[in-house]
Amino acid sequence: MKNFFTRAAAVSALSLFALAAPSFGAQTQVRQVKPMPIPSPHMPREPLHTEFTVEVNHMGQIVKVKSGKESKNPTFNAQTYGNVLQMWIRHPDGSAQTGMYRVMYDYNPSSHKVHRGVALLSIGGEWANDKSAVQDMLEVDARNRERHRSIPLPDLSKIMRPTPTPKPKH
């Protein structure tokens, strides 16, 4: 332990010396660095619309996306699909109604805002007690991680080769 603290003190002293070294008469040039401009995201110039028909369980979670209509913008389609899988549909008092819903996304190019609308299509469904799509994805991910952890790694001594010794040039 004493050896560790001695080394740590030596390293910190050397780093302080290295930081202070330019002030001992060495000429240093300060280079001016111009900040990089931040690129603005490309926003679509046309209105976009996607809609999804989803099954909602008794807690208001999306269980499954039954169908969907996509826009001509693949990025907007992916973003709205990811959003609809994670959303909850509940009443203002926090209660939820099992059923089939339509979720619509409309992008306004003049305001750059997206409006999300929800409409109830039918009440009830055999998916009332099913887990949400997000829970299902998390469980699949956990199973995949566990499966990859159980794959045995090769013995280190079999894959390591001895480090070659450097030979001086004559």
Side-chain angles (χ1 to χ4, degrees):
M1 202 55 138
K2 180 182 174 188
N3 193 13
F4 171 77
F5 289 119
T6 306
R7 284 186 183 174
V11 169
S12 65
L14 285 175
S15 59
L16 282 174
F17 178 74
L19 290 174
S23 65
F24 291 124
Q27 294 288 330
T28 59
Q29 291 181 346
V30 178
R31 196 177 105 201
Q32 295 293 329
V33 178
K34 292 183 180 177
M36 296 279 297
I38 298 173
S40 60
H42 170 71
M43 302 302 281
R45 293 189 174 127
E46 65 278 343
L48 300 173
H49 174 82
T50 57
E51 61 183 64
F52 303 94
T53 303
V54 296
E55 296 173 354
V56 176
N57 66 13
H58 72 282
M59 293 184 287
Q61 300 167 316
I62 305 300
V63 172
K64 180 168 68 170
V65 175
K66 292 285 286 182
S67 65
K69 292 181 184 175
E70 59 185 29
S71 71
K72 55 187 169 185
N73 185 316
T75 303
F76 185 72
N77 298 338
Q79 289 171 337
T80 55
Y81 180 72
N83 184 271
V84 81
L85 283 174
Q86 298 176 55
M87 71 182 283
W88 296 58
I89 299 177
R90 291 189 168 179
H91 300 292
D93 66 356
S95 64
Q97 176 69 56
T98 299
M100 187 91 65
Y101 290 80
R102 177 173 294 124
V103 181
M104 292 116 354
Y105 293 89
D106 291 299
Y107 169 73
N108 182 340
S110 60
S111 67
H112 301 297
K113 293 185 178 182
V114 177
H115 175 265
R116 179 175 63 189
V118 178
L120 177 64
L121 299 177
S122 64
I123 295 174
E126 67 267 5
W127 55 84
N129 294 318
D130 288 358
K131 61 185 163 198
S132 72
V134 172
Q135 271 181 306
D136 194 40
M137 287 186 281
L138 289 173
E139 288 173 8
V140 168
D141 184 54
R143 283 195 303 270
N144 287 340
R145 287 176 187 263
E146 190 58 39
R147 188 177 69 220
H148 286 108
R149 279 191 202 114
S150 65
I151 297 173
L153 294 174
D155 184 20
L156 192 59
S157 63
K158 291 181 181 177
I159 61 172
M160 293 291 293
R161 295 184 182 153
T163 304
T165 55
K167 296 179 183 175
K169 292 183 178 181
H170 296 300

